């Protein structure tokens, strides 16, 4: 009997352990069920960009929904099974839509629909304008889109959720909800010398509207303003002036009085508009392409020189300065990619900005004795220089600009907000042009309150090619931004209107994380080798020219043309130049190889540190813990 005691104890321990495991499993299930009941809407977002947390602007828009909105999420489950990447993306879209529903105070209903082939659901999806995409060769069509409707029978549609726009998912969803929730869009007046709304050019189809124009139209009612307008309509909340070339006096007066009466203005001027040059005509042949509002700017307390462009070595964009057969990457100091260091973060307009791209921008400055406040919103780095527009008007040489670049050590203002009391630029009202109605408002000599104007010294930032890629997706034009330009314009208009709900919304659009340290190291390495490369390239061209001259002494060079016999001295000189040509080419290749080796060495070191450091630290920690345990056991 004594020998059985240990076995009984062991059996009891085993039974107790089994019961403990069973109780633990039961407790785990119970806790999960309770958590699902009590914390069904609780979320913890640990991502660095807070990708699963709604922005403040989105929550504000959802909180202002007055009439019920229905969102119908059409998603073919077959698409996720066949293409897993779409399944993962669809899960994120659905979870984000559920967040919208949870934050809308019960005024947003979400329906998830799997439209089976040849079903009533598929017919409704087609009627709503969703984009069906063939899944296989048999022609089976799948859907992945959204339809929103409100009580007034208004519709907002996202034809197809493209993975390329995943970074802009919240923007697209909130834009649809916002358009369904507002009853009347604010009016924005547009006075522009550039064809932002599209244009007819010769025969064929008209050019489509610029992406920034389309984006503005999604939030505001855009009202065209004529060049010869005598008075800005009072119902316009913000006047957007783009490339105001040679405006008549009555129009300048209308803008002046609109601003003095409390109207808000967003002005884009440019000392050299590349967009206008690209359209052809006299501008492409070296004609004037600049715009300015000198008379109004003087009254508002700022200035912009007509012939000076802002160059920045630190913010320069990389372009191909080579020929069609030879790529030669170089930093173009007049095409700027502005980032956080170039923004005025204290201004609400730029708190969420990521990247803004500009081209051949002008330079703004506060005038001496100005009564207004001049707040730079966008500015260059201290590695900047004012460059004459005449140097680059016809055929710019990015490599030469970089080689001759001399930083001034001062930042240059590219965009600014103007606030404060201002006087009129006109002593009296000019005569109204023939055919225009009489003015209804009396002349103001100074502002009734603080003026609020935003001035940007660049118009090219509005054109598609500088900030957005527009692609055709089964007949649908899809715009994928590469920079924050469009959001900056929409946010600026919204900010001038006095609303801040949309500011946080679009600031989450871009998730680019450039390795700025590596880019700086790479730029410095290029600057060290670029001068030598330029010297060797010029020597190579000169050698090739001399060699061609010597070879040309033999007479005509046609296939059947007779050639004179070269003298021994001429042949010796040709051989010497050929050898020199080979040597220069070899030296040039060595310089370019050294440049690549420097950059690749930095990249390799950086990758090794980032990839290997964490595993190495974990391994060392594990080894240390193991040794500590061995010591405790031995002791």
């Amino acid at each position: 009997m004594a020998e059985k005691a240990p076995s009984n104890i062991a059996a009891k321990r085993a039974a107790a352990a089994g019961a403990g495991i069973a109780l633990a499993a039961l407790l785990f299930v119970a806790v999960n069920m309770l958590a699902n009941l009590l914390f069904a809407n609780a979320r913890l977002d640990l991502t660095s960009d807070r990708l699963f947390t709604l922005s403040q602007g989105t929550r504000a828009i959802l909180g202002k929904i007055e009439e019920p909105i229905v969102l119908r999420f059409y998603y073919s489950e077959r698409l996720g099974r066949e293409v897993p990447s779409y399944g993962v993306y669809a899960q994120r879209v659905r979870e984000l839509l559920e967040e919208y529903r949870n934050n809308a105070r019960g005024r947003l209903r979400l329906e998830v629909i799997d439209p089976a082939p040849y079903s009533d659901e598929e017919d409704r999806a087609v009627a709503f304008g969703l984009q069906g995409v063939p899944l296989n060769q048999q022609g089976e069509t799948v859907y992945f889109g959204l339809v929103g409707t409100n009580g007034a029978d208004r519709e907002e549609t996202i034809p197809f959720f493209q993975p390329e726009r995943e970074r802009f998912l919240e923007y697209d969803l909130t834009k649809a909800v916002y358009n369904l929730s507002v009853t009347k869009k604010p009016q924005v007046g547009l006075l522009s010398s550039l064809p932002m709304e599209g244009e007819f050019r010769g025969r064929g189809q008209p050019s489509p509207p610029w992406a920034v124009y389309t984006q503005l139209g999604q939030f505001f009612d855009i009202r065209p303003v004529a060049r010869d307008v005598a008075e800005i309509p009072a119902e316009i909340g913000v006047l957007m002036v783009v490339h105001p070339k040679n405006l008549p006096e009555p129009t300048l007066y209308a803008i002046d009085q609109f601003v003095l009466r409390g109207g808000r203005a967003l002005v884009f001027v440019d000392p050299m508009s590349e967009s206008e040059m690209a359209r052809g005509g006299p501008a492409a042949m070296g004609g004037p392409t600049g715009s300015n509002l000198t008379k109004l700017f003087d009254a508002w307390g700022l200035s912009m020189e007509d012939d000076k462009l802002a160059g920045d070595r630190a913010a320069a964009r990389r372009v191909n300065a080579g020929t069609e057969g030879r790529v030669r990457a170089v930093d173009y100091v007049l095409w700027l990619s502005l980032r956080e260091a170039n923004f005025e973060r204290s201004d609400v307009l730029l708190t969420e900005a990521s990247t803004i791209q500009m081209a051949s921008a002008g330079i703004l400055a506060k005038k001496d004795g100005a009564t207004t406040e001049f707040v730079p919103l966008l500015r260059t780095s201290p590695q900047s220089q004012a460059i004459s527009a005449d140097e680059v008007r016809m055929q710019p040489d990015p490599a030469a600009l970089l080689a001759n670049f001399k930083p001034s050590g001062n930042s240059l203002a590219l965009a600014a907000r103007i606030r404060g009391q201002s006087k009129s630029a006109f002593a009296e009202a000019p005569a109204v042009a023939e055919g225009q109605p009489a003015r209804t408002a009396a002349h103001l000599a100074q502002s009734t309150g603080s003026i609020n104007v935003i001035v940007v010294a660049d118009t090219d930032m509005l054109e598609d090619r500088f900030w957005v890629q527009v692609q055709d997706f089964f007949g649908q034009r899809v715009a994928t931004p590469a920079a924050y330009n469009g959001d900056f314009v929409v946010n600026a208009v919204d900010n001038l209107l006095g609303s801040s709900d949309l500011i946080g919304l679009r600031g989450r659009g871009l998730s680019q994380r450039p390795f700025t340290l590596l880019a700086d190291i790479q730029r410095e390495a290029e600057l060290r080798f670029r001068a030598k490369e330029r010297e060797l390239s010029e020597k190579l061209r000169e050698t090739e020219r001399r060699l061609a001259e010597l070879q040309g002494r033999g007479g005509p060079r046609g296939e059947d043309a007779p050639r004179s016999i070269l003298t021994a001295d001429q042949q010796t000189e040709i051989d010497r130049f050929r050898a020199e040509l080979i040597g220069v080419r070899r030296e040039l290749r060595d310089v370019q190889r050294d440049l690549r080796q420097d950059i690749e060495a930095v990249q390799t070191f950086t990758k090794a540190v980032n990839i290997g450091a964490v595993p190495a630290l974990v391994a060392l920690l594990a080894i240390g813990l193991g040794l500590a345990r061995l010591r405790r056991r031995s002791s």
Side-chain angles (χ1 to χ4, degrees), residues 203-353:
R203 298 179 181 179
Q205 297 294 325
S207 62
W210 291 8
V212 69
Y213 182 89
T214 302
Q215 194 167 345
L216 279 168
Q218 293 167 352
F219 296 97
F220 312 107
D221 181 14
I222 303 178
R223 179 172 177 176
V225 176
R227 283 179 48 87
D228 58 349
V229 65
E231 189 174 44
I232 307 298
E235 57 268 22
I236 289 179
V238 171
L239 177 65
M240 184 171 169
V241 181
V242 179
H243 203 40
K245 290 190 63 177
N246 306 320
L247 293 181
E249 287 284 300
T251 303
L252 293 176
Y253 178 76
I255 299 173
D256 172 86
Q257 294 295 294
F258 174 78
V259 171
L260 295 183
R261 285 191 170 85
R264 314 299 174 85
L266 175 60
V267 180
F268 291 85
V269 290
D270 201 328
M272 190 185 79
S273 172
E274 297 191 28
S275 301
E276 184 180 358
M277 294 170 63
R279 296 176 62 203
M285 304 302 294
T289 62
S291 60
N292 207 335
L293 288 178
T294 306
K295 190 168 187 175
L296 298 184
F297 285 176
D298 288 343
W300 296 345
L302 76 155
S303 64
M304 185 192 76
E305 294 188 56
D306 291 325
D307 60 344
K308 294 296 182 182
L309 307 176
D312 189 344
R313 193 170 67 184
R317 290 174 57 191
R318 179 154 299 184
V319 300
N320 177 22
T323 60
E324 293 183 0
R326 180 187 175 194
V327 176
R328 186 187 181 194
V330 64
D331 290 340
Y332 188 23
V333 295
L334 290 179
W335 283 14
L336 309 181
S337 183
L338 307 176
R339 303 192 185 278
E340 183 175 357
N342 307 107
F343 303 151
E344 180 53 56
R345 285 297 190 185
S346 62
D347 194 291
V348 67
L349 180 60
L350 293 162
T351 53
E352 300 291 341

Side-chain angles (χ1 to χ4, degrees), residues 533-546:
E533 181 189 27
R534 182 177 176 83
E535 176 187 341
L536 291 174
S537 297
E538 292 177 353
K539 186 175 181 181
L540 178 62
R541 287 194 294 269
E542 177 65 19
T543 304
E544 289 175 340
R545 185 185 64 79
R546 293 292 306 277

Side-chain angles (χ1 to χ4, degrees), residues 20-80:
I21 294 174
L23 288 174
L26 182 62
L27 180 63
F28 177 78
V29 173
V31 169
N32 275 275
M33 293 178 62
L34 185 63
N36 286 333
L37 291 174
L38 298 180
F39 307 107
N41 297 327
R43 299 289 188 273
L44 181 61
D45 190 352
L46 299 178
T47 58
S48 60
D49 286 333
R50 301 184 66 82
L51 297 177
F52 301 96
T53 302
L54 298 184
S55 67
Q56 182 60 39
T58 295
R59 290 196 295 269
I61 289 173
L62 293 173
K64 294 179 180 179
I65 297 177
E66 297 297 334
E67 299 295 331
I69 293 175
V70 179
L71 296 182
R72 296 178 176 90
F73 176 41
Y74 285 86
Y75 171 62
S76 302
E77 296 288 347
R78 178 72 182 276
L79 175 62

Side-chain angles (χ1 to χ4, degrees), residues 230 249-250 253 257 424 426-432 439 441-444:
E249 287 284 300
Y253 178 76
Q257 294 295 294
S424 174
F426 296 82
E428 59 182 6
V432 177
R439 300 186 181 95
H443 171 75
L444 284 180

